[in-house]
Amino acid sequence: MTSAYVYLRQSKDVENTRAAVDRQRADCLDLCERNRWPVAEVYEDNDASASNPRKARKDYARLLADLEHGRIVSGDVIVAWAQDRLLRKVADMLVLIDLCAKRGIAVVTVQAGRLDLATTDGQTLALMAAVIAQGEMTKKAARQRAEAEQAASDGQAPSRRAFGYRLEGKGRKRRMVLDPAEAPVVRDAFDRLLVKGQSLVRITDAVNAAGLPSVRGTTLCRKGVRYLLTNPVYAGLRTHHGEVVRDDDGEPVRGDWPAIITEDEHDRAVRLLTDAARRPAGFRGTARRWLGSGLFRCGMDGCGSDVRCGYRSPNGGNGARTYVCREHAHLSRRADVIDDLVLRAVAARLARDDARDLLAGGDDEVTALRAEADALAAALDVARDRLRRGVYDEDDFVTEKRRVKVAQEAVGRRLTAAARSSVLGTLGAAPDPAAAFTAADLGTQREVVDALAVVTLLPARRGESSFDPATVRIDWR
Ligand SMILES: [Zn+2]
């Protein structure tokens, strides 16, 4: 009695693949029915999930194992919709011929009928078909690669969207536009990193608090947020295989979609998140503990360099936190007493009546600049539309696009500055600015100190073991 073993493969190059595999199944089962072959097993692989090729061919491996271990016996048939569904490579065909011919197992396809693998002529025909199919596949892959490269150097929207954007249209008409819900979350994440100096942990919490699923439909992990914050796509730059695409002059290729940050902001975010040596403590998962690293100045002989953080560890153990001159390392001061002094001095300054004037708000400006950025993005849409309708020729469009890009970059720079003064504005609006400052996170405190004063660390006097406040100079701006 003949049993049928049906193999189905969902191919990634067919649109609406679910329907395609359902049709394969119906046709194959119909063929078995007409021949009165009971179906013993249905194998089904999904090419669409072929990021892992072994996983994508799991059931094919199972079919071969069933052949090898004698579950499928002489007189049985293997049924597939077409030969290229069953086999993708010449090597696959050789394996199949070997297994089927010896055991007298027939292969039948809906498209071409019985493949006679027991005779030399039948084997030759089957192999030739496999050779042709493999050649087509190789050519097609090369064509798709070339198309993807062309799309990248044209600055066309990538085939997969980034969080913050939506894809519209298909193929060459594909466009990426801002997602009204996600884009503000992305902008906020960058503000938290670049303006407030928050840690990745806090930024990740904030992104997930928005309640929007990631592109993959999950919550974002810290690694995902780091990837987001270093992705050039948000600065409007086109990438291919993870690299920014460059034109013949070595200039980065700008994408055809609205940027959420400026290139300058992108560079700063990458520096903050990828250069381990420069990474402030905050990015190791704990809150940033140095108030003055990169902020306070070295006062050794009028040096003027900023200070970095360090540890003074005379016995090789974990010693006291220190500030060290970044340029010359000729100055090293204990950090905790200095931080304490500066925090108290600034709080005292904020307790004075004129403090609110120092902290004039920037929120209105941020709102105005955001509106300006939206208007620029809209202007680009209008220009694109005019190009489509033939009102603009290619030159008009390029000129307009360049004008908008320049304006967008300028607005982006002003937004960064305004967002920063908006941190101060929030503090200025508090009932008690001094108390709000003392309670604020370190990132905010750093912003305020930087806005109000220049702090210079003078060398400690030799032999002096106790802290002398006079060695910390605070010049109010
Ligand atoms: Zn110095």
PDB file of all heavy atoms in Angstrom, residues 297-307 324-331 457, ligand 1:
ATOM      1  N   ARG A 297      37.114  73.274  36.337  1.00  0.00           N
ATOM      2  CA  ARG A 297      38.375  73.587  35.641  1.00  0.00           C
ATOM      3  C   ARG A 297      39.572  73.297  36.536  1.00  0.00           C
ATOM      4  O   ARG A 297      39.475  73.393  37.757  1.00  0.00           O
ATOM      5  CB  ARG A 297      38.423  75.073  35.266  1.00  0.00           C
ATOM      6  CG  ARG A 297      37.242  75.571  34.489  1.00  0.00           C
ATOM      7  CD  ARG A 297      37.404  75.313  33.012  1.00  0.00           C
ATOM      8  NE  ARG A 297      36.191  74.709  32.476  1.00  0.00           N
ATOM      9  CZ  ARG A 297      36.142  74.023  31.342  1.00  0.00           C
ATOM     10  NH1 ARG A 297      37.241  73.819  30.647  1.00  0.00           N
ATOM     11  NH2 ARG A 297      35.014  73.522  30.909  1.00  0.00           N
ATOM     12  N   CYS A 298      40.691  73.017  35.905  1.00  0.00           N
ATOM     13  CA  CYS A 298      41.941  72.844  36.639  1.00  0.00           C
ATOM     14  C   CYS A 298      42.567  74.221  36.854  1.00  0.00           C
ATOM     15  O   CYS A 298      42.734  74.983  35.906  1.00  0.00           O
ATOM     16  CB  CYS A 298      42.889  71.949  35.844  1.00  0.00           C
ATOM     17  SG  CYS A 298      44.595  72.004  36.416  1.00  0.00           S
ATOM     18  N   GLY A 299      42.917  74.541  38.110  1.00  0.00           N
ATOM     19  CA  GLY A 299      43.467  75.858  38.422  1.00  0.00           C
ATOM     20  C   GLY A 299      44.958  75.834  38.683  1.00  0.00           C
ATOM     21  O   GLY A 299      45.523  76.792  39.219  1.00  0.00           O
ATOM     22  N   MET A 300      45.620  74.770  38.298  1.00  0.00           N
ATOM     23  CA  MET A 300      47.070  74.682  38.494  1.00  0.00           C
ATOM     24  C   MET A 300      47.775  75.606  37.509  1.00  0.00           C
ATOM     25  O   MET A 300      47.677  75.403  36.295  1.00  0.00           O
ATOM     26  CB  MET A 300      47.513  73.220  38.273  1.00  0.00           C
ATOM     27  CG  MET A 300      49.009  72.995  38.274  1.00  0.00           C
ATOM     28  SD  MET A 300      49.737  73.204  39.905  1.00  0.00           S
ATOM     29  CE  MET A 300      49.510  71.569  40.592  1.00  0.00           C
ATOM     30  N   ASP A 301      48.427  76.655  38.006  1.00  0.00           N
ATOM     31  CA  ASP A 301      49.166  77.602  37.157  1.00  0.00           C
ATOM     32  C   ASP A 301      48.336  78.092  35.973  1.00  0.00           C
ATOM     33  O   ASP A 301      48.838  78.190  34.849  1.00  0.00           O
ATOM     34  CB  ASP A 301      50.463  76.953  36.617  1.00  0.00           C
ATOM     35  CG  ASP A 301      51.383  76.535  37.758  1.00  0.00           C
ATOM     36  OD1 ASP A 301      51.335  77.191  38.819  1.00  0.00           O
ATOM     37  OD2 ASP A 301      52.122  75.551  37.584  1.00  0.00           O
ATOM     38  N   GLY A 302      47.052  78.355  36.204  1.00  0.00           N
ATOM     39  CA  GLY A 302      46.199  78.868  35.129  1.00  0.00           C
ATOM     40  C   GLY A 302      45.996  77.893  33.991  1.00  0.00           C
ATOM     41  O   GLY A 302      45.777  78.280  32.840  1.00  0.00           O
ATOM     42  N   CYS A 303      46.030  76.608  34.274  1.00  0.00           N
ATOM     43  CA  CYS A 303      45.927  75.557  33.246  1.00  0.00           C
ATOM     44  C   CYS A 303      44.617  75.658  32.463  1.00  0.00           C
ATOM     45  O   CYS A 303      44.614  75.756  31.246  1.00  0.00           O
ATOM     46  CB  CYS A 303      46.062  74.184  33.898  1.00  0.00           C
ATOM     47  SG  CYS A 303      45.565  72.799  32.874  1.00  0.00           S
ATOM     48  N   GLY A 304      43.472  75.621  33.164  1.00  0.00           N
ATOM     49  CA  GLY A 304      42.193  75.840  32.490  1.00  0.00           C
ATOM     50  C   GLY A 304      41.573  74.610  31.859  1.00  0.00           C
ATOM     51  O   GLY A 304      40.448  74.658  31.365  1.00  0.00           O
ATOM     52  N   SER A 305      42.271  73.482  31.841  1.00  0.00           N
ATOM     53  CA  SER A 305      41.678  72.246  31.302  1.00  0.00           C
ATOM     54  C   SER A 305      40.506  71.818  32.181  1.00  0.00           C
ATOM     55  O   SER A 305      40.401  72.242  33.331  1.00  0.00           O
ATOM     56  CB  SER A 305      42.741  71.151  31.281  1.00  0.00           C
ATOM     57  OG  SER A 305      42.137  69.873  31.256  1.00  0.00           O
ATOM     58  N   ASP A 306      39.614  71.002  31.648  1.00  0.00           N
ATOM     59  CA  ASP A 306      38.567  70.474  32.524  1.00  0.00           C
ATOM     60  C   ASP A 306      39.129  69.274  33.286  1.00  0.00           C
ATOM     61  O   ASP A 306      40.242  68.815  33.008  1.00  0.00           O
ATOM     62  CB  ASP A 306      37.309  70.108  31.733  1.00  0.00           C
ATOM     63  CG  ASP A 306      37.551  68.982  30.750  1.00  0.00           C
ATOM     64  OD1 ASP A 306      38.704  68.825  30.312  1.00  0.00           O
ATOM     65  OD2 ASP A 306      36.601  68.263  30.425  1.00  0.00           O
ATOM     66  N   VAL A 307      38.362  68.807  34.265  1.00  0.00           N
ATOM     67  CA  VAL A 307      38.851  67.679  35.061  1.00  0.00           C
ATOM     68  C   VAL A 307      38.053  66.431  34.730  1.00  0.00           C
ATOM     69  O   VAL A 307      36.901  66.504  34.319  1.00  0.00           O
ATOM     70  CB  VAL A 307      38.750  67.964  36.578  1.00  0.00           C
ATOM     71  CG1 VAL A 307      39.652  69.130  36.957  1.00  0.00           C
ATOM     72  CG2 VAL A 307      37.306  68.225  36.995  1.00  0.00           C
ATOM     73  N   VAL A 324      40.765  64.879  38.519  1.00  0.00           N
ATOM     74  CA  VAL A 324      42.129  64.927  38.006  1.00  0.00           C
ATOM     75  C   VAL A 324      42.139  65.797  36.759  1.00  0.00           C
ATOM     76  O   VAL A 324      41.225  65.706  35.935  1.00  0.00           O
ATOM     77  CB  VAL A 324      42.618  63.497  37.641  1.00  0.00           C
ATOM     78  CG1 VAL A 324      44.050  63.529  37.136  1.00  0.00           C
ATOM     79  CG2 VAL A 324      42.470  62.571  38.830  1.00  0.00           C
ATOM     80  N   CYS A 325      43.150  66.658  36.619  1.00  0.00           N
ATOM     81  CA  CYS A 325      43.266  67.487  35.418  1.00  0.00           C
ATOM     82  C   CYS A 325      43.325  66.583  34.193  1.00  0.00           C
ATOM     83  O   CYS A 325      44.144  65.680  34.118  1.00  0.00           O
ATOM     84  CB  CYS A 325      44.531  68.348  35.482  1.00  0.00           C
ATOM     85  SG  CYS A 325      44.866  69.198  33.922  1.00  0.00           S
ATOM     86  N   ARG A 326      42.419  66.829  33.226  1.00  0.00           N
ATOM     87  CA  ARG A 326      42.344  65.945  32.071  1.00  0.00           C
ATOM     88  C   ARG A 326      43.571  66.094  31.168  1.00  0.00           C
ATOM     89  O   ARG A 326      44.070  65.127  30.613  1.00  0.00           O
ATOM     90  CB  ARG A 326      41.074  66.229  31.259  1.00  0.00           C
ATOM     91  CG  ARG A 326      40.770  65.141  30.222  1.00  0.00           C
ATOM     92  CD  ARG A 326      39.656  65.540  29.281  1.00  0.00           C
ATOM     93  NE  ARG A 326      38.381  65.738  29.946  1.00  0.00           N
ATOM     94  CZ  ARG A 326      37.531  64.751  30.255  1.00  0.00           C
ATOM     95  NH1 ARG A 326      37.830  63.517  29.968  1.00  0.00           N
ATOM     96  NH2 ARG A 326      36.392  65.023  30.855  1.00  0.00           N
ATOM     97  N   GLU A 327      44.089  67.340  31.056  1.00  0.00           N
ATOM     98  CA  GLU A 327      45.203  67.590  30.142  1.00  0.00           C
ATOM     99  C   GLU A 327      46.524  67.061  30.692  1.00  0.00           C
ATOM    100  O   GLU A 327      47.264  66.367  30.007  1.00  0.00           O
ATOM    101  CB  GLU A 327      45.353  69.097  29.890  1.00  0.00           C
ATOM    102  CG  GLU A 327      44.341  69.690  28.938  1.00  0.00           C
ATOM    103  CD  GLU A 327      44.488  69.177  27.512  1.00  0.00           C
ATOM    104  OE1 GLU A 327      45.634  69.111  27.030  1.00  0.00           O
ATOM    105  OE2 GLU A 327      43.464  68.839  26.903  1.00  0.00           O
ATOM    106  N   HIS A 328      46.825  67.463  31.931  1.00  0.00           N
ATOM    107  CA  HIS A 328      48.183  67.234  32.423  1.00  0.00           C
ATOM    108  C   HIS A 328      48.268  66.316  33.634  1.00  0.00           C
ATOM    109  O   HIS A 328      49.361  65.951  34.039  1.00  0.00           O
ATOM    110  CB  HIS A 328      48.837  68.580  32.776  1.00  0.00           C
ATOM    111  CG  HIS A 328      48.819  69.542  31.628  1.00  0.00           C
ATOM    112  ND1 HIS A 328      49.526  69.319  30.473  1.00  0.00           N
ATOM    113  CD2 HIS A 328      48.159  70.707  31.442  1.00  0.00           C
ATOM    114  CE1 HIS A 328      49.310  70.318  29.634  1.00  0.00           C
ATOM    115  NE2 HIS A 328      48.479  71.172  30.191  1.00  0.00           N
ATOM    116  N   ALA A 329      47.143  65.998  34.234  1.00  0.00           N
ATOM    117  CA  ALA A 329      47.144  65.127  35.414  1.00  0.00           C
ATOM    118  C   ALA A 329      48.051  65.653  36.523  1.00  0.00           C
ATOM    119  O   ALA A 329      48.552  64.900  37.339  1.00  0.00           O
ATOM    120  CB  ALA A 329      47.536  63.695  35.023  1.00  0.00           C
ATOM    121  N   HIS A 330      48.284  66.988  36.535  1.00  0.00           N
ATOM    122  CA  HIS A 330      49.154  67.550  37.575  1.00  0.00           C
ATOM    123  C   HIS A 330      48.346  68.009  38.788  1.00  0.00           C
ATOM    124  O   HIS A 330      48.883  68.576  39.719  1.00  0.00           O
ATOM    125  CB  HIS A 330      49.995  68.714  37.015  1.00  0.00           C
ATOM    126  CG  HIS A 330      49.162  69.731  36.280  1.00  0.00           C
ATOM    127  ND1 HIS A 330      49.698  70.733  35.530  1.00  0.00           N
ATOM    128  CD2 HIS A 330      47.816  69.872  36.169  1.00  0.00           C
ATOM    129  CE1 HIS A 330      48.717  71.447  34.990  1.00  0.00           C
ATOM    130  NE2 HIS A 330      47.578  70.942  35.373  1.00  0.00           N
ATOM    131  N   LEU A 331      47.035  67.782  38.737  1.00  0.00           N
ATOM    132  CA  LEU A 331      46.187  68.198  39.843  1.00  0.00           C
ATOM    133  C   LEU A 331      45.250  67.053  40.189  1.00  0.00           C
ATOM    134  O   LEU A 331      44.690  66.416  39.303  1.00  0.00           O
ATOM    135  CB  LEU A 331      45.356  69.424  39.434  1.00  0.00           C
ATOM    136  CG  LEU A 331      44.364  69.906  40.488  1.00  0.00           C
ATOM    137  CD1 LEU A 331      44.862  71.191  41.131  1.00  0.00           C
ATOM    138  CD2 LEU A 331      42.990  70.122  39.882  1.00  0.00           C
ATOM    139  N   LEU A 457      39.314  74.446  40.357  1.00  0.00           N
ATOM    140  CA  LEU A 457      39.946  73.749  41.482  1.00  0.00           C
ATOM    141  C   LEU A 457      41.414  74.152  41.550  1.00  0.00           C
ATOM    142  O   LEU A 457      42.182  73.894  40.622  1.00  0.00           O
ATOM    143  CB  LEU A 457      39.831  72.230  41.298  1.00  0.00           C
ATOM    144  CG  LEU A 457      38.419  71.695  41.001  1.00  0.00           C
ATOM    145  CD1 LEU A 457      38.442  70.174  40.925  1.00  0.00           C
ATOM    146  CD2 LEU A 457      37.418  72.173  42.043  1.00  0.00           C
TER     147      LEU A 457
HETATM  148 ZN    ZN B   1      45.712  71.245  34.521  1.00  0.00          ZN
END
